Amino acid sequence: MDSTIHWYPGHMAKAKRQLNELIKYLDVILEIRDARVPLASHNSDLEVILKKRPNIVLLNKIDLADPKVTKAWKEWFNRQDYPVIEVNGKNGAGTNQIWQLLNTKYSPSGFRKSVRVGVVGIPNVGKSTILNRLIGSGTAKTGNIPGITRGKQWIKKKGIEVLDMPGILPPKITDQDAGLKLALIGTIKEQLLPIYDLALYLLEHYGEVIFRWNEAGIEVDSAELGLEWYARKRGFLLKGGELDLNRAATTLLQEFRNGRLGQISLEVPIMTAAQDD
């Protein structure tokens, strides 16, 4: 598999140019990241632009991530002087903390009465869902298809003006491991990375965490055997009794993404990993 993943639709390039042009009008930036992959879900290609204004990191989808790992990530960000708020776009958890921080720590520039907030994030981190929770239902498009929010939108509420930008990925992803993690959470279209390969990657790196084979006394020596075990466990069979591995791979990814396999974090802060060794 080519270690470089290329993805840069025209609307993403346009969104980056718009953000660079509008950054001077913003007072603060909310960067939404997926709590399961706080590093991989950060667009380093925007680093220079984002540093021009104060940033608040929102760790979204905390209901899908390991709570202990998410807490460690919050400590990790705080050590680097990044304000961070744990949020859940599904039920609105953390929304009040966002309002409180914006209203107490940040003030409008010049003669403006409203604080101007830019909201950025790569596709499928739940940016539109959080906006709907923050500003009001129906104010922004939502969906699981990467890049559904295409045009810039200004939304006003309670002395705050919010600029919603389309999800922007880097022009290319050279870190294969990061690319695979983004594909697992649904950020990168499945046409770019085969579902079967993604399922094997998930089982190779997180299979024991998900299914606890050792504790159950199940011998699984490879990701391939793990997928066969999963297919057999779910009763995915073709005519003649052969295992339906394609169905198993598709279902495995679906269940991971919707949390049916448990709360699983794909990245752990370095300081936590060192402490656990």
Side-chain angles (χ1 to χ4, degrees):
M1 182 186 298
D2 185 356
S3 61
T4 301
I5 300 173
H6 297 272
W7 161 305
Y8 211 50
H11 71 275
M12 290 190 184
K14 181 180 178 181
K16 181 182 177 182
R17 292 194 300 270
Q18 289 176 341
L19 180 60
N20 193 39
E21 294 169 359
L22 295 170
I23 192 73
K24 60 185 176 183
Y25 301 110
L26 301 175
D27 300 305
V28 60
I29 294 173
L30 299 179
E31 185 192 5
I32 301 175
R33 306 193 190 190
D34 191 305
R36 295 168 292 179
V37 285
L39 296 184
S41 59
H42 167 65
N43 185 349
S44 58
D45 190 50
L46 300 180
E47 200 77 48
V48 175
I49 300 176
L50 296 181
K51 284 184 177 180
K52 294 179 181 179
R53 288 295 181 269
N55 288 194
I56 300 173
V57 174
L58 305 183
L59 294 179
N60 189 30
K61 303 190 179 183
I62 56 174
D63 56 314
L64 301 178
D66 185 327
K68 293 181 180 179
V69 177
T70 301
K71 181 180 179 181
W73 274 117
K74 186 173 183 178
E75 295 173 356
W76 185 88
F77 279 108
N78 287 335
R79 288 189 181 189
Q80 300 185 56
D81 296 324
Y82 272 100
V84 59
I85 299 175
E86 300 175 32
V87 293
N88 182 349
K90 289 182 180 179
N91 61 18
T95 303
N96 290 336
Q97 295 181 50
I98 300 173
W99 277 110
Q100 184 177 10
L101 187 58
L102 290 175
N103 287 319
T104 57
K105 188 172 182 180
Y106 302 96
S107 57
S109 302
F111 298 99
R112 285 188 287 106
K113 295 182 180 180
S114 299
V115 178
R116 285 182 174 169
V117 182
V119 182
V120 300
I122 67 173
N124 217 40
V125 292
K127 182 166 60 67
S128 295
T129 305
I130 289 181
L131 274 171
N132 284 344
R133 287 287 181 181
L134 187 64
I135 304 298
S137 178
T139 57
K141 299 177 182 178
T142 61
N144 292 322
I145 302 173
I148 192 173
T149 312
R150 304 222 168 182
K152 66 179 186 294
Q153 304 177 51
W154 282 98
I155 309 166
K156 296 182 180 181
K157 184 176 181 180
K158 296 181 181 179
I160 291 178
E161 295 180 56
V162 178
L163 175 64
D164 174 25
M165 300 295 294
I168 310 173
L169 273 174
K172 58 184 179 180
I173 301 173
T174 56
D175 184 333
Q176 184 180 18
D177 193 58
L180 287 165
K181 290 173 182 176
L182 291 178
L184 283 178
I185 67 172
T187 291
I188 296 176
K189 288 184 177 180
E190 293 177 347
Q191 293 92 321
L192 298 179
L193 290 169
I195 292 177
Y196 184 81
D197 291 347
L198 288 179
L200 292 184
Y201 176 84
L202 179 65
L203 290 172
E204 179 181 355
H205 295 275
Y206 310 99
E208 176 57 35
V209 174
I210 297 171
F211 297 114
R212 304 188 184 281
W213 289 313
N214 289 341
E215 292 183 13
I218 300 171
E219 294 185 7
V220 175
D221 298 327
S222 68
E224 288 83 358
L225 290 176
L227 187 60
E228 291 177 8
W229 171 86
Y230 177 76
R232 195 174 296 109
K233 180 175 184 291
R234 294 298 304 272
F236 293 153
L237 302 175
L238 298 169
K239 291 182 179 179
E242 183 180 353
L243 294 174
D244 190 344
L245 297 181
N246 288 328
R247 184 183 178 190
T250 300
T251 305
L252 180 69
L253 289 181
Q254 290 174 343
E255 293 191 336
F256 164 73
R257 289 170 180 168
N258 62 29
R260 290 191 63 184
L261 298 180
Q263 293 176 291
I264 304 163
S265 295
L266 304 181
E267 293 178 336
V268 178
I270 295 177
M271 64 177 187
T272 302
Q275 292 171 354
D276 290 343
D277 289 341

